Amino acid sequence: MTLDQLALLVGLFAVPLLALRIGNRFRDQTASRRRIFWGAVLGHSFGMMVTVCATLFPPIWWEGGTVLRDYLVYWSMLIGSIVGVLAARLGWKDHGSGIKDQGFARK
């Protein structure tokens, strides 16, 4: 099994299972964990759209053995979820917008 195939399997199966694990008891999580969850979900979804679009390219476009198609097909779901988690972790903090936690946690 090559590294590309491993990245595809991790992006296709392990990332959604990890998101399911984090999303379990979603209401009981802190705001930062909810941001990380949604960052992973949105990044993975965007990566999946990129993967599907890359696999639908006509074969004549990737006949020459370009590396770009390989990265788009094999790595986009994994990279997309990592970028989503990093974006959620590093950015979009509460800057005094007045929006506070809505208190969805169980008591």
Side-chain angles (χ1 to χ4, degrees):
M1 178 179 295
T2 66
L3 188 60
D4 289 336
Q5 293 169 341
L6 182 65
L8 178 66
L9 290 175
V10 167
L12 192 59
F13 296 112
V15 170
L17 288 174
L18 185 63
L20 263 172
R21 175 69 180 114
I22 291 173
N24 190 22
R25 297 199 178 254
F26 187 74
R27 293 181 292 172
D28 296 338
Q29 302 299 329
T30 63
S32 63
R33 287 195 61 160
R34 284 183 276 183
R35 273 197 314 265
I36 290 172
F37 170 78
W38 284 114
V41 168
L42 292 174
H44 184 266
S45 299
F46 180 75
M48 188 173 285
M49 288 189 299
V50 170
T51 298
V52 169
C53 289
T55 56
L56 293 176
F57 287 160
I60 194 74
W61 287 7
W62 40 270
E63 177 191 0
T66 61
V67 183
L68 178 63
R69 181 188 175 272
D70 291 340
Y71 282 118
L72 290 177
V73 170
Y74 292 113
W75 290 90
S76 63
M77 287 183 283
L78 182 62
I79 299 289
S81 59
I82 291 171
V83 168
V85 166
L86 290 176
R89 187 81 176 138
L90 299 176
W92 294 294
K93 297 190 189 261
D94 184 22
H95 297 290
S97 63
I99 300 173
K100 301 208 186 285
D101 189 11
Q102 299 295 322
F104 291 118
R106 293 183 186 152
K107 295 181 180 168

